[in-house]
Coordinates of all heavy atoms in Angstrom, one line a residue:
M582 N 3.4 -11.0 -13.1 CA 2.0 -10.8 -13.0 C 1.3 -11.5 -14.2 O 1.7 -11.3 -15.4 CB 1.7 -9.3 -13.0 CG 0.3 -8.9 -13.4 SD 0.1 -7.1 -13.2 CE -0.6 -7.0 -11.6
K583 N 0.3 -12.2 -13.9 CA -0.5 -12.9 -14.9 C -2.0 -12.5 -14.8 O -2.5 -12.5 -13.7 CB -0.4 -14.4 -14.8 CG -1.1 -15.2 -15.9 CD -0.9 -16.7 -15.7 CE -1.9 -17.4 -16.5 NZ -2.2 -18.8 -16.0
V584 N -2.6 -12.1 -15.9 CA -4.0 -11.6 -15.9 C -4.8 -12.5 -16.7 O -4.4 -12.9 -17.8 CB -4.0 -10.1 -16.5 CG1 -5.4 -9.6 -16.4 CG2 -3.1 -9.2 -15.7
T585 N -6.0 -12.8 -16.2 CA -7.0 -13.5 -17.1 C -8.3 -12.7 -17.1 O -8.6 -12.0 -16.1 CB -7.3 -14.9 -16.5 OG1 -7.7 -14.9 -15.2 CG2 -6.0 -15.8 -16.7
L586 N -9.0 -12.8 -18.1 CA -10.3 -12.1 -18.3 C -11.4 -13.1 -18.7 O -11.2 -13.8 -19.7 CB -10.1 -11.0 -19.4 CG -11.3 -10.3 -19.9 CD1 -11.9 -9.5 -18.9 CD2 -11.0 -9.5 -21.2
D587 N -12.5 -13.1 -18.0 CA -13.6 -13.9 -18.4 C -14.6 -13.1 -19.2 O -15.4 -12.4 -18.6 CB -14.2 -14.5 -17.1 CG -15.3 -15.5 -17.4 OD1 -15.8 -15.5 -18.5 OD2 -15.7 -16.3 -16.5
Q588 N -14.5 -13.2 -20.5 CA -15.4 -12.4 -21.3 C -16.9 -12.8 -21.2 O -17.7 -12.0 -21.5 CB -15.0 -12.6 -22.8 CG -13.6 -11.9 -23.1 CD -13.3 -12.0 -24.6 OE1 -13.4 -13.1 -25.2 NE2 -12.8 -10.9 -25.1
D589 N -17.2 -14.0 -20.7 CA -18.6 -14.4 -20.5 C -19.2 -13.6 -19.3 O -20.4 -13.4 -19.3 CB -18.7 -15.9 -20.2 CG -18.3 -16.7 -21.4 OD1 -18.5 -16.2 -22.5 OD2 -18.0 -17.9 -21.2
K590 N -18.3 -13.1 -18.4 CA -18.8 -12.3 -17.3 C -18.9 -10.9 -17.6 O -19.7 -10.1 -17.0 CB -17.9 -12.5 -16.0 CG -18.0 -13.8 -15.3 CD -17.1 -13.8 -14.1 CE -17.2 -15.1 -13.3 NZ -16.2 -15.1 -12.2
C591 N -18.1 -10.4 -18.5 CA -18.0 -9.0 -18.8 C -19.3 -8.4 -19.2 O -20.1 -8.9 -20.0 CB -17.0 -8.8 -20.0 SG -16.8 -7.1 -20.5
V592 N -19.6 -7.2 -18.6 CA -20.9 -6.5 -18.9 C -20.6 -5.2 -19.7 O -21.4 -4.3 -19.8 CB -21.7 -6.2 -17.6 CG1 -22.1 -7.5 -17.0 CG2 -20.9 -5.4 -16.7
A593 N -19.4 -5.1 -20.3 CA -19.1 -4.0 -21.2 C -19.1 -2.6 -20.6 O -19.5 -1.7 -21.2 CB -20.0 -4.1 -22.4
S594 N -18.7 -2.5 -19.3 CA -18.8 -1.2 -18.7 C -17.6 -0.3 -19.1 O -17.7 0.9 -18.9 CB -18.8 -1.4 -17.2 OG -17.5 -1.9 -16.7
G595 N -16.5 -0.9 -19.5 CA -15.4 -0.1 -19.9 C -14.4 0.4 -18.8 O -13.5 1.1 -19.1
Q596 N -14.7 0.0 -17.6 CA -13.9 0.6 -16.5 C -12.5 0.1 -16.6 O -11.6 0.8 -16.2 CB -14.5 0.1 -15.2 CG -16.0 0.2 -15.0 CD -16.3 1.6 -14.5 OE1 -16.1 2.6 -15.2 NE2 -16.9 1.7 -13.3
C597 N -12.3 -1.1 -17.0 CA -10.9 -1.7 -17.1 C -10.0 -0.9 -18.1 O -8.8 -0.7 -17.9 CB -10.9 -3.2 -17.4 SG -11.8 -3.6 -18.9
V598 N -10.7 -0.5 -19.2 CA -9.9 0.3 -20.2 C -9.5 1.6 -19.7 O -8.4 2.1 -19.9 CB -10.8 0.4 -21.5 CG1 -10.0 1.2 -22.6 CG2 -11.2 -1.0 -22.0
V599 N -10.4 2.3 -18.9 CA -10.1 3.5 -18.3 C -8.9 3.4 -17.3 O -8.0 4.2 -17.3 CB -11.3 4.1 -17.6 CG1 -10.9 5.4 -16.8 CG2 -12.4 4.4 -18.6
A600 N -8.9 2.3 -16.6 CA -7.9 2.1 -15.5 C -6.5 1.7 -16.1 O -5.5 2.0 -15.6 CB -8.4 1.1 -14.5
A601 N -6.6 0.8 -17.2 CA -5.4 0.2 -17.7 C -5.5 0.0 -19.2 O -5.7 -1.1 -19.7 CB -5.1 -1.1 -17.0
D602 N -5.3 1.1 -20.0 CA -5.6 1.0 -21.4 C -4.5 0.4 -22.2 O -4.7 0.1 -23.4 CB -5.9 2.4 -22.0 CG -4.8 3.4 -21.9 OD1 -3.8 3.1 -21.2 OD2 -4.9 4.5 -22.5
H603 N -3.4 0.1 -21.6 CA -2.4 -0.7 -22.3 C -2.6 -2.2 -22.2 O -2.0 -3.0 -22.9 CB -1.0 -0.4 -21.7 CG -0.5 1.0 -22.1 ND1 -0.7 2.1 -21.3 CD2 0.2 1.4 -23.1 CE1 -0.2 3.1 -21.8 NE2 0.4 2.8 -23.0
V604 N -3.5 -2.6 -21.2 CA -3.7 -4.0 -21.0 C -5.1 -4.4 -21.5 O -5.3 -5.6 -21.8 CB -3.6 -4.3 -19.4 CG1 -3.8 -5.7 -19.1 CG2 -2.2 -3.8 -19.0
F605 N -6.1 -3.5 -21.5 CA -7.4 -3.9 -21.9 C -7.9 -3.0 -23.0 O -7.6 -1.8 -23.0 CB -8.4 -3.7 -20.7 CG -8.0 -4.6 -19.5 CD1 -7.3 -4.1 -18.4 CD2 -8.4 -5.9 -19.4 CE1 -7.0 -4.8 -17.3 CE2 -8.1 -6.7 -18.4 CZ -7.4 -6.2 -17.3
D606 N -8.7 -3.6 -23.9 CA -9.4 -2.8 -24.9 C -10.8 -3.4 -24.9 O -11.2 -4.3 -24.1 CB -8.7 -3.0 -26.2 CG -9.1 -1.9 -27.2 OD1 -10.0 -1.1 -26.9 OD2 -8.6 -1.9 -28.3
Q607 N -11.7 -2.8 -25.7 CA -13.1 -3.3 -25.9 C -13.3 -3.6 -27.4 O -12.9 -2.8 -28.2 CB -14.1 -2.3 -25.4 CG -14.1 -2.1 -23.9 CD -15.0 -1.0 -23.5 OE1 -14.7 0.2 -23.6 NE2 -16.2 -1.3 -23.0
D608 N -14.1 -4.7 -27.6 CA -14.4 -5.0 -29.0 C -15.7 -4.1 -29.4 O -16.1 -3.2 -28.7 CB -14.7 -6.5 -29.2 CG -15.9 -7.0 -28.5 OD1 -16.8 -6.2 -28.1 OD2 -16.0 -8.2 -28.3
D609 N -16.2 -4.3 -30.6 CA -17.2 -3.5 -31.1 C -18.5 -3.6 -30.3 O -19.4 -2.7 -30.3 CB -17.6 -3.9 -32.6 CG -16.4 -3.5 -33.5 OD1 -15.6 -2.7 -33.2 OD2 -16.4 -4.1 -34.6
D610 N -18.7 -4.6 -29.5 CA -19.8 -4.8 -28.6 C -19.6 -4.3 -27.2 O -20.4 -4.4 -26.4 CB -20.3 -6.3 -28.6 CG -20.8 -6.8 -29.9 OD1 -21.4 -6.0 -30.6 OD2 -20.5 -7.9 -30.3
G611 N -18.4 -3.8 -27.0 CA -18.0 -3.3 -25.7 C -17.4 -4.3 -24.8 O -17.0 -4.0 -23.6
I612 N -17.4 -5.6 -25.2 CA -16.8 -6.6 -24.4 C -15.3 -6.4 -24.3 O -14.6 -6.1 -25.3 CB -17.1 -8.0 -25.0 CG1 -18.6 -8.2 -25.0 CG2 -16.4 -9.1 -24.2 CD1 -19.3 -8.1 -23.7
A613 N -14.7 -6.6 -23.1 CA -13.3 -6.3 -22.9 C -12.5 -7.4 -23.6 O -12.8 -8.6 -23.7 CB -13.0 -6.4 -21.4
V614 N -11.3 -6.9 -24.1 CA -10.3 -7.8 -24.7 C -9.0 -7.6 -24.0 O -8.6 -6.5 -23.7 CB -10.2 -7.3 -26.2 CG1 -9.1 -8.1 -26.9 CG2 -11.5 -7.4 -27.0
L615 N -8.4 -8.7 -23.7 CA -7.1 -8.6 -23.0 C -6.0 -8.5 -24.0 O -5.7 -9.4 -24.8 CB -7.0 -9.9 -22.1 CG -5.7 -10.1 -21.3 CD1 -5.7 -8.9 -20.2 CD2 -5.7 -11.4 -20.6
L616 N -5.3 -7.3 -23.9 CA -4.2 -7.1 -24.8 C -2.9 -7.7 -24.4 O -2.1 -8.0 -25.2 CB -4.0 -5.5 -25.0 CG -5.2 -4.7 -25.5 CD1 -4.9 -3.2 -25.5 CD2 -5.6 -5.2 -26.9
D617 N -2.7 -7.7 -23.0 CA -1.4 -8.2 -22.5 C -1.7 -9.0 -21.3 O -1.9 -8.5 -20.2 CB -0.6 -6.9 -22.1 CG 0.8 -7.3 -21.7 OD1 1.1 -8.5 -21.6 OD2 1.5 -6.3 -21.3
P618 N -1.6 -10.4 -21.4 CA -1.9 -11.3 -20.3 C -0.7 -11.3 -19.3 O -0.9 -11.9 -18.2 CB -2.1 -12.6 -21.0 CG -1.3 -12.5 -22.2 CD -1.4 -11.1 -22.7
A619 N 0.4 -10.7 -19.6 CA 1.5 -10.7 -18.7 C 2.1 -9.3 -18.6 O 3.3 -9.1 -19.1 CB 2.6 -11.7 -19.1
P620 N 1.4 -8.4 -18.0 CA 1.9 -7.0 -18.0 C 3.2 -6.8 -17.2 O 3.4 -7.6 -16.2 CB 0.8 -6.2 -17.3 CG -0.4 -7.1 -17.3 CD 0.1 -8.5 -17.4
S621 N 3.9 -5.8 -17.5 CA 5.2 -5.5 -16.8 C 4.8 -5.0 -15.4 O 3.7 -4.5 -15.1 CB 6.0 -4.4 -17.5 OG 5.3 -3.2 -17.4
P622 N 5.7 -5.1 -14.4 CA 5.5 -4.6 -13.0 C 5.1 -3.2 -13.0 O 4.3 -2.8 -12.1 CB 6.8 -4.9 -12.3 CG 7.4 -6.0 -13.1 CD 7.0 -5.8 -14.5
A623 N 5.5 -2.4 -14.0 CA 5.2 -1.0 -14.0 C 3.7 -0.8 -14.2 O 3.2 0.3 -13.8 CB 6.0 -0.3 -15.1
R624 N 3.0 -1.7 -14.7 CA 1.6 -1.6 -14.9 C 0.7 -2.3 -13.8 O -0.5 -2.3 -13.9 CB 1.2 -2.2 -16.2 CG 2.0 -1.7 -17.4 CD 1.1 -1.6 -18.7 NE 1.9 -1.4 -19.9 CZ 2.3 -0.2 -20.3 NH1 2.2 0.8 -19.5 NH2 3.0 -0.1 -21.4
A625 N 1.4 -2.8 -12.8 CA 0.7 -3.6 -11.8 C -0.4 -2.8 -11.1 O -1.5 -3.3 -10.9 CB 1.7 -4.1 -10.8
D626 N -0.1 -1.6 -10.7 CA -1.1 -0.8 -10.0 C -2.3 -0.5 -10.9 O -3.4 -0.6 -10.4 CB -0.5 0.6 -9.6 CG 0.5 0.4 -8.4 OD1 0.6 -0.7 -7.8 OD2 1.2 1.4 -8.1
D627 N -2.1 -0.2 -12.1 CA -3.2 0.0 -13.0 C -4.1 -1.2 -13.2 O -5.3 -1.2 -13.2 CB -2.7 0.5 -14.4 CG -2.1 1.9 -14.4 OD1 -2.3 2.6 -13.4 OD2 -1.5 2.3 -15.4
V628 N -3.4 -2.4 -13.3 CA -4.2 -3.6 -13.5 C -4.9 -4.0 -12.3 O -6.1 -4.4 -12.3 CB -3.2 -4.8 -13.9 CG1 -3.9 -6.1 -14.0 CG2 -2.5 -4.4 -15.3
H629 N -4.3 -3.8 -11.1 CA -5.1 -4.0 -9.9 C -6.3 -3.1 -9.7 O -7.3 -3.5 -9.3 CB -4.1 -3.9 -8.6 CG -3.3 -5.1 -8.4 ND1 -3.8 -6.2 -7.8 CD2 -2.0 -5.3 -8.7 CE1 -2.8 -7.1 -7.7 NE2 -1.7 -6.6 -8.2
Q630 N -6.1 -1.9 -10.2 CA -7.2 -0.9 -10.1 C -8.3 -1.4 -11.1 O -9.5 -1.4 -10.8 CB -6.7 0.5 -10.6 CG -7.8 1.5 -10.7 CD -8.4 1.9 -9.4 OE1 -7.9 1.6 -8.3 NE2 -9.5 2.6 -9.4
A631 N -7.9 -1.9 -12.3 CA -8.9 -2.4 -13.2 C -9.7 -3.5 -12.6 O -11.0 -3.6 -12.7 CB -8.2 -2.8 -14.5
A632 N -9.1 -4.4 -12.0 CA -9.7 -5.6 -11.4 C -10.7 -5.1 -10.3 O -11.8 -5.6 -10.1 CB -8.7 -6.6 -10.9
A633 N -10.2 -4.1 -9.5 CA -11.0 -3.6 -8.4 C -12.3 -2.9 -8.8 O -13.3 -3.0 -8.1 CB -10.2 -2.7 -7.5
V634 N -12.2 -2.2 -9.9 CA -13.4 -1.5 -10.4 C -14.3 -2.2 -11.3 O -15.4 -1.8 -11.6 CB -13.0 -0.1 -11.0 CG1 -12.3 0.7 -10.0 CG2 -12.2 -0.3 -12.3
C635 N -13.9 -3.4 -11.8 CA -14.7 -4.2 -12.7 C -16.0 -4.6 -12.0 O -16.0 -5.4 -11.0 CB -14.0 -5.4 -13.2 SG -15.0 -6.5 -14.2
P636 N -17.2 -4.2 -12.4 CA -18.4 -4.5 -11.7 C -18.8 -6.0 -11.9 O -19.7 -6.5 -11.1 CB -19.4 -3.6 -12.4 CG -18.9 -3.4 -13.8 CD -17.4 -3.4 -13.6
A637 N -18.2 -6.7 -12.8 CA -18.6 -8.1 -13.1 C -17.6 -9.1 -12.5 O -17.7 -10.3 -12.6 CB -18.6 -8.3 -14.6
L638 N -16.5 -8.6 -11.8 CA -15.5 -9.4 -11.3 C -14.9 -10.4 -12.3 O -14.7 -11.5 -12.1 CB -16.0 -10.2 -10.0 CG -16.5 -9.4 -8.9 CD1 -17.0 -10.3 -7.8 CD2 -15.5 -8.4 -8.4
A639 N -14.7 -9.8 -13.5 CA -14.3 -10.6 -14.7 C -12.8 -10.7 -14.8 O -12.3 -11.5 -15.6 CB -14.9 -10.0 -15.9
I640 N -12.1 -9.9 -14.0 CA -10.6 -9.8 -14.1 C -10.0 -10.5 -12.9 O -10.2 -10.2 -11.8 CB -10.2 -8.4 -14.2 CG1 -10.8 -7.7 -15.4 CG2 -8.6 -8.3 -14.3 CD1 -10.7 -6.2 -15.4
R641 N -9.1 -11.5 -13.2 CA -8.3 -12.2 -12.2 C -6.9 -11.9 -12.4 O -6.4 -11.9 -13.5 CB -8.6 -13.7 -12.3 CG -10.0 -14.1 -12.1 CD -10.3 -14.5 -10.7 NE -11.7 -14.8 -10.5 CZ -12.3 -14.6 -9.3 NH1 -11.6 -14.3 -8.3 NH2 -13.6 -14.8 -9.2
I642 N -6.2 -11.8 -11.2 CA -4.7 -11.5 -11.2 C -4.0 -12.5 -10.4 O -4.4 -12.8 -9.3 CB -4.5 -10.1 -10.7 CG1 -5.2 -9.0 -11.5 CG2 -3.0 -9.8 -10.6 CD1 -5.2 -7.6 -10.9
E643 N -2.9 -13.0 -11.0 CA -2.0 -13.8 -10.2 C -0.7 -13.1 -10.2 O -0.1 -12.8 -11.2 CB -1.8 -15.2 -10.9 CG -3.0 -16.1 -10.9 CD -2.7 -17.3 -11.7 OE1 -1.6 -17.9 -11.6 OE2 -3.6 -17.7 -12.4
D644 N -0.2 -12.8 -9.0 CA 1.1 -12.0 -8.9 C 2.2 -12.9 -9.0 O 2.1 -14.1 -8.7 CB 1.1 -11.2 -7.5 CG 0.1 -10.1 -7.5 OD1 0.2 -9.3 -8.5 OD2 -0.7 -10.0 -6.6
Ligands
LIG1203 S1 -14.5 -3.5 -16.3 FE1 -15.2 -5.6 -16.3 S2 -17.3 -5.6 -17.0 FE2 -16.3 -3.6 -17.6 S3 -15.5 -3.9 -19.6 FE3 -13.8 -4.4 -18.2 S4 -14.0 -6.6 -17.9 FE4 -15.9 -5.9 -18.8

């Protein structure tokens, strides 16, 4: 699984961190930061959930 995050699209809602806090964090301005661009399969459900709930469609996943 490969994850990419478009910080230019991010609107700092924090939903991705709630869904997958091992993979996403937020900087001081609330913009998402990608902690792990290649999460383990065990985190796949959480990462898919993060992408699904992101209001800015800033998270892309390649399985
Ligand atoms: S859910 Fe989307 S818009 Fe919200 S912080 Fe994460 S990447 Fe940014």
Side-chain angles (χ1 to χ4, degrees):
M582 156 178 265
K583 184 180 164 201
V584 181
T585 56
L586 168 68
D587 186 342
Q588 290 182 314
D589 290 337
K590 287 185 179 174
C591 176
V592 295
S594 69
Q596 312 275 65
C597 56
V598 180
V599 174
D602 65 349
H603 289 90
V604 179
F605 301 98
D606 198 356
Q607 286 174 283
D608 68 14
D609 290 342
D610 294 323
I612 300 301
V614 176
L615 184 59
L616 301 176
D617 184 359
S621 71
R624 304 214 193 283
D626 286 351
D627 289 349
V628 175
H629 279 284
Q630 175 69 13
V634 297
C635 174
L638 303 179
I640 299 166
R641 298 264 173 209
I642 299 170
E643 293 173 40
D644 287 309

